[in-house]
């Protein structure tokens, strides 16, 4: 795909390219997490205006770039007031997420038990992440929820995935702390 042109995109993609070239997932995600937080705080990169436009019935996923050589994908997510996800995974892909605008409530979960397609999760921490904060997920520690806690403000986050994330597992409550897994195909909203 052709990269969407926006101020500082070359600096962003060069930072990610250098991190991915290390070949070590932990080092890659640490370098991207630190680099992303710095680029957000210094405002060295200005995301395209479309990322501030929420979609009424779901959080928006707009792919800004996919690297043909390394395969990584850069996706801006726009969270309308109160929008969020159920517990989900990233299909075994590492990911770095940074808050660009607003605030997000992120809760991490650890898988404690599995019985067929039923999973028992335990929440292990919730953070309110503000502008400039960034985190990483490396499987098997990839289960989490994300939610915009604001009743009236939009939030925007930037996600860098090892490869394009086209599907994942969503986990829906059954009883107690047990959840049922459902596969979900992920779409993209238009980025302009």
């Amino acid at each position: 795909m052709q990269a969407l042109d926006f101020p500082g995109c070359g600096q962003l993609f060069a930072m990610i390219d250098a991190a991915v070239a290390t070949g070590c997932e932990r080092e890659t995600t640490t370098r991207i997490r630190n680099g992303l937080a710095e680029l957000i705080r210094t405002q060295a990169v200005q995301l395209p205006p479309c990322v501030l436009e929420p979609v009424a019935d779901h959080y928006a996923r707009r792919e800004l770039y996919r690297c043909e050589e390394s395969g990584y994908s850069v996706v801006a997510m726009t969270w309308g007031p109160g929008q969020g996800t159920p517990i989900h995974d990233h299909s075994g892909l590492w990911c770095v997420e940074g808050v660009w605008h607003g605030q997000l409530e992120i809760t991490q979960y650890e898988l404690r038990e599995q019985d067929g397609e039923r999973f028992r999760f335990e929440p292990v921490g919730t953070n309110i992440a503000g502008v400039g904060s960034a985190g990483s997920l490396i499987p098997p520690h990839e289960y989490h929820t994300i939610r915009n806690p604001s009743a009236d403000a939009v939030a925007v986050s930037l996600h860098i995935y090892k490869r394009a994330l086209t599907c994942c597992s969503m986990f829906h409550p059954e009883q107690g702390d047990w959840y049922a897994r459902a596969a979900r195909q992920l779409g993209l909203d238009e980025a302009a």
Side-chain angles (χ1 to χ4, degrees):
M1 104 168 249
Q2 187 72 3
L4 199 61
D5 189 30
F6 50 92
C9 65
Q11 186 177 353
L12 172 65
F13 304 148
M15 178 273 293
I16 299 168
D17 287 339
V20 168
T22 68
C24 169
E25 288 190 345
R26 185 157 308 281
E27 186 174 346
T28 293
T29 56
T30 297
R31 289 178 69 174
I32 293 173
R33 185 180 67 240
N34 293 340
L36 186 59
E38 179 69 17
L39 291 173
I40 295 169
R41 282 194 296 269
T42 62
Q43 299 181 2
V45 176
Q46 300 295 313
L47 295 182
C50 67
V51 304
L52 292 173
E53 299 169 14
V55 175
D57 63 344
H58 64 276
Y59 64 91
R61 297 180 76 242
R62 295 177 174 103
E63 188 172 67
L64 305 181
Y65 179 64
R66 188 179 304 174
C67 180
E68 289 185 25
E69 184 177 320
S70 303
Y72 69 82
S73 173
V74 179
V75 176
M77 293 191 187
T78 309
W79 309 84
Q83 289 179 339
T85 69
I87 298 174
H88 65 283
D89 66 15
H90 285 172
S91 296
L93 302 178
W94 60 254
C95 174
V96 177
E97 305 170 342
V99 179
W100 212 275
H101 182 80
Q103 292 185 328
L104 291 172
E105 178 184 89
I106 302 164
T107 302
Q108 293 294 130
Y109 292 85
E110 288 295 329
L111 176 61
R112 296 299 184 209
E113 192 175 352
Q114 181 178 351
D115 179 18
E117 289 299 301
R118 297 177 61 230
F119 296 76
R120 189 172 67 80
F121 290 105
E122 179 182 343
V124 292
T126 298
N127 295 313
I128 299 294
V131 174
S133 59
S136 55
L137 300 165
I138 301 175
H141 306 287
E142 62 182 317
Y143 303 103
H144 63 292
T145 60
I146 302 176
R147 183 179 78 83
N148 178 355
S150 176
D152 57 6
V154 170
V156 176
S157 53
L158 197 67
H159 301 242
I160 295 95
Y161 299 101
K162 180 178 182 177
R163 287 187 309 278
L165 184 65
T166 59
C167 63
C168 69
S169 294
M170 299 282 189
F171 300 89
H172 302 285
E174 282 195 328
Q175 69 181 68
D177 49 1
W178 284 92
Y179 293 78
R181 175 170 50 190
R184 177 163 178 208
Q185 292 297 310
L186 298 172
L188 293 171
D189 297 283
E190 188 175 341

